[in-house]
């Protein structure tokens, strides 16, 4: 996702001599612990229940995942940043124990119990923003950041799946022909996030760093929250190369409610909860 934005950001940063400064590329990884679920309808009992992606659909709970961050610091106090984080998971359940129905784009999909089901959940977060060093000293700086972030969510199922339009639903049963695969892709509108950051050089070439970012939004049937708090140590190995070790708390919680247009009952409520508390390791190069 970030590859579409990167050339534009680099072009903007390099378009004026006023923006002369330092451009950095940071590559790293983090250890993720995920908890993902959604509220769906049981076609047999005709009630809603929580389907857990990790325990019911066998998606991996723990995973080591990559991230990329580009930053540009100019005119002493100003900086731009662009970062991308990814959580992509696939799993196969040999015998699904809980049947469920889910509505996507006014079509109800009926997923049967007992059959083999392949599940996909891809989650990408792209953020772009601006930071300002409000306070500076000989060995420290403290600043504020304002940015936008977008989430790309892809959900897929492959197995024994019935399909029907809500108007064709009779006694919570889809009578139409089965299809092999469904895919639902949701993209949130750019949402704002606000943050604070600080750097303190406690010995030459070694810095203590901290940043905290937050956002919360509720718009129509979409509700989301992001919390990102990181405490770390940066070491300048050379004039251009830097290594960072950090401890990070990162949480994304997104609810996307879907209801049938012909009735008040809720067919599916995606509750995508993604969080981790753990170590991060990265290296960066400054031009």
């Amino acid at each position: 996702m970030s590859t579409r934005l990167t050339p534009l950001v680099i072009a903007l940063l390099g378009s004026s001599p006023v923006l002369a400064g330092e451009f950095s590329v940071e590559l790293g990884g983090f250890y993720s612990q995920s908890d993902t679920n959604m509220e769906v309808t049981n076609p047999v009992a005709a009630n809603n229940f929580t389907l857990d992606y990790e325990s019911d659909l066998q998606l991996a709970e723990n995973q080591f995942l990559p991230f990329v961050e580009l930053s540009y610091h100019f005119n002493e106090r100003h900086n731009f940043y662009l970062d991308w984080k990814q959580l992509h998971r696939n799993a196969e359940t040999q015998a699904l124990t809980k049947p469920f129905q889910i509505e996507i784009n006014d079509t109800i999909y009926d997923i049967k119990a007992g059959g083999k089901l392949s599940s996909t959940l891809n989650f990408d977060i792209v953020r772009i923003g601006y930071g300002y060093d409000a306070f500076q000293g000989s060995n420290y700086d403290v600043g504020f950041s304002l940015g936008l972030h977008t989430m790309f969510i892809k959900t897929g199922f492959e197995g024994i799946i019935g399909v029907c339009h809500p108007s064709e639903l009779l006694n919570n049963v889809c009578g139409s022909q089965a299809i092999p695969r469904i895919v639902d892709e949701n993209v949130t509108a750019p949402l704002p996030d606000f943050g604070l950051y600080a750097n303190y050089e406690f010995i030459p070439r070694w810095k203590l760093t901290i940043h905290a970012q937050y956002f919360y939004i509720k718009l129509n049937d979409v509700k989301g929250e992001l919390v990102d708090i990181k405490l770390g140590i940066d070491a300048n190995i050379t004039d251009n190369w830097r290594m960072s070790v950090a401890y990070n708390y990162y949480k994304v919680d997104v609810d996307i409610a879907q209801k049938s247009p012909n009735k008040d009952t809720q067919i599916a409520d995606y509750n995508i909860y993604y969080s981790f508390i753990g170590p991060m390791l990265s290296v960066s190069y400054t031009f």
Side-chain angles (χ1 to χ4, degrees):
M1 302 296 181
S2 61
T3 55
R4 301 176 184 176
L5 299 175
T6 302
L8 175 60
V9 173
I10 294 175
L12 290 174
L13 296 177
S15 62
S16 170
V18 177
L19 298 183
E22 294 182 339
F23 176 70
S24 298
V25 180
E26 183 175 3
L27 304 174
F30 57 91
Y31 189 71
S32 171
Q33 295 178 316
S34 302
D35 180 15
T36 315
N37 58 72
M38 64 179 175
E39 292 294 319
V40 296
T41 298
N42 186 324
V44 178
N47 59 6
N48 290 352
F49 72 97
T50 301
L51 184 75
D52 190 280
Y53 269 85
E54 286 74 32
S55 61
D56 295 327
L57 302 181
Q58 309 304 311
L59 266 69
E61 184 176 353
N62 302 313
Q63 219 172 357
F64 189 76
L65 303 166
F67 74 88
V68 178
E69 181 171 336
L70 309 178
S71 61
Y72 196 88
H73 200 279
F74 62 97
N75 286 3
E76 294 187 356
R77 292 179 180 269
H78 307 270
N79 66 86
F80 290 121
Y81 63 87
L82 170 69
D83 67 46
W84 164 78
K85 290 181 174 68
Q86 171 187 287
L87 175 63
H88 285 190
R89 292 180 294 167
N90 296 278
E92 185 174 87
T93 306
Q94 292 301 320
L96 185 67
T97 59
K98 301 176 181 178
F100 63 93
Q101 290 177 345
I102 180 173
E103 182 178 353
I104 300 172
N105 297 325
D106 297 334
T107 299
I108 295 176
Y109 297 92
D110 189 21
I111 301 177
K112 310 292 185 182
K116 183 170 66 175
L117 181 69
S118 297
S119 306
T120 297
L121 181 61
N122 295 343
F123 198 21
D124 292 81
I125 304 171
V126 178
R127 294 191 295 186
I128 185 170
Y130 164 77
Y132 176 73
D133 297 353
F135 307 99
Q136 290 183 331
S138 59
N139 61 345
Y140 74 89
D141 57 76
V142 179
F144 307 93
S145 66
L146 173 64
L148 296 172
H149 87 275
T150 299
M151 288 174 284
F152 301 82
I153 306 164
K154 178 179 179 180
T155 304
F157 298 105
E158 185 171 352
I160 303 176
I161 303 170
V163 58
C164 67
H165 191 273
S167 62
E168 300 169 340
L169 188 63
L170 180 63
N171 296 325
N172 293 309
V173 176
C174 284
S176 300
Q177 184 176 358
I179 62 170
R181 186 169 182 263
I182 58 172
V183 175
D184 182 27
E185 297 192 60
N186 283 288
V187 179
T188 65
L191 303 172
D193 55 71
F194 308 91
L196 298 171
Y197 62 87
N199 302 288
Y200 174 69
E201 188 176 32
F202 55 95
I203 58 175
R205 305 178 73 88
W206 289 77
K207 287 184 178 181
L208 178 67
T209 66
I210 183 171
H211 86 232
Q213 291 185 325
Y214 177 80
F215 98 93
Y216 176 85
I217 191 74
K218 186 173 182 180
L219 181 65
N220 297 327
D221 292 330
V222 178
K223 181 174 66 174
E225 181 182 41
L226 179 146
V227 179
D228 183 5
I229 302 173
K230 183 170 71 173
L231 176 65
I233 294 177
D234 280 3
N236 282 86
I237 304 171
T238 68
D239 290 339
N240 300 98
W241 287 97
R242 190 177 82 248
M243 177 174 286
S244 176
V245 177
Y247 196 79
N248 199 188
Y249 171 75
Y250 191 92
K251 182 187 79 169
V252 174
D253 194 353
V254 181
D255 288 327
I256 302 175
Q258 300 189 61
K259 294 184 179 181
S260 169
N262 297 327
K263 58 187 180 202
D264 294 330
T265 58
Q266 181 173 287
I267 298 296
D269 181 4
Y270 289 89
N271 180 2
I272 299 175
Y273 179 91
Y274 161 36
S275 69
F276 75 86
I277 302 176
M280 301 180 69
L281 179 64
S282 65
V283 294
S284 63
Y285 184 81
T286 300
F287 297 90

